Amino acid sequence: MRLKWLISVAAVMTAVTVGVDLSAQQAPAPQGGGARAGGGGRGGGFNLPPLLMTTDAFPDGGIVPQKFAGRGGVQPGFKFANAPEGTMSYAIIFHDIDVSLKGSTGDVLHWIVWNIPASAGGIPEGSVPAGTVVGRGITGQNQYFGPGAPAGPRYHHYVFELYGLNANLDLPPTAGREELLKAMEGKITAKAAYVGRYRSEAAQ
């Protein structure tokens, strides 16, 4: 009797399991709760507009040529594409992420600019479009400061962060990175980045 009872229980459990599996396979996909293009997360996912920045100066992730390095270096030109509707201007933060200043999370800010007109579609080499504001970097000057990592066993990574904004920013040229980041809050339509690597050549 006990053996028959065990066989009956096993048969019932198998039938229940098969029924659950079939229901799961046939259940319709949830509406509006899945991840949208670019990724997902809690609360219905998130959207990643395909903003792009490109340059002929060097490949993304490639070595920065000496032409664009140091205090006298030439600012690279960039093209911007695929900005979402409503983008009015751009801002760029250019910094060396391989440095920690005074034991903090701060790094070397080489260049910041904002109010680049969206209609310009980018920035030309060696200059910025009319209306663009150049802020102050680590040197305290309102100008481009190229990569300058010392010679050594590794390259430093220099990141051009591009922000699409739905408005122009009311910031003076004396503003720095903290002021820029605060002013951009709530106005960002998209973000992109471009990376260059650099280290100085060892003395001969």
Side-chain angles (χ1 to χ4, degrees):
M1 288 295 294
R2 182 175 179 81
L3 178 59
K4 290 183 178 180
W5 180 81
L6 290 174
I7 293 174
S8 298
V9 171
V12 171
M13 293 300 294
T14 300
V16 171
T17 302
V18 170
V20 171
D21 288 343
L22 289 175
S23 297
Q25 292 175 11
Q26 296 172 0
Q31 298 297 317
R36 286 177 281 177
R42 286 194 282 180
F46 55 87
N47 188 30
L48 295 177
L51 179 62
L52 294 174
M53 62 185 310
T54 58
T55 180
D56 295 329
F58 53 90
D60 192 8
I63 308 301
V64 179
Q66 190 61 38
K67 171 184 177 179
F68 306 102
R71 289 180 181 268
V74 177
Q75 164 229 306
F78 284 95
K79 292 181 179 179
F80 311 148
N82 298 340
E85 185 177 352
T87 300
M88 181 180 294
S89 66
Y90 297 99
I92 295 176
I93 298 176
F94 175 47
H95 57 124
D96 178 356
I97 64 174
D98 284 271
V99 177
S100 174
L101 296 179
K102 299 179 180 179
S104 72
T105 57
D107 56 27
V108 177
L109 177 64
H110 280 253
W111 189 52
I112 50 173
V113 291
W114 58 89
N115 291 355
I116 302 170
S119 58
I123 56 175
E125 182 179 296
S127 64
V128 292
T132 302
V133 181
V134 181
R136 289 185 177 175
I138 195 169
T139 64
Q141 298 177 319
N142 298 74
Q143 62 184 40
Y144 172 81
F145 172 29
R154 67 184 178 92
Y155 288 92
H156 281 212
H157 297 76
Y158 294 83
V159 182
F160 291 84
E161 293 181 5
L162 174 67
Y163 294 87
L165 305 170
N166 62 12
N168 284 322
L169 304 178
D170 185 17
L171 283 175
T174 53
R177 174 163 42 182
E178 291 185 7
E179 292 88 348
L180 175 58
L181 289 172
K182 185 175 181 179
M184 290 195 300
E185 290 183 2
K187 301 180 180 69
I188 298 172
T189 61
K191 180 181 178 181
Y194 203 91
V195 179
R197 296 181 293 131
Y198 180 84
R199 67 180 177 189
S200 300
E201 295 182 1
Q204 299 297 321

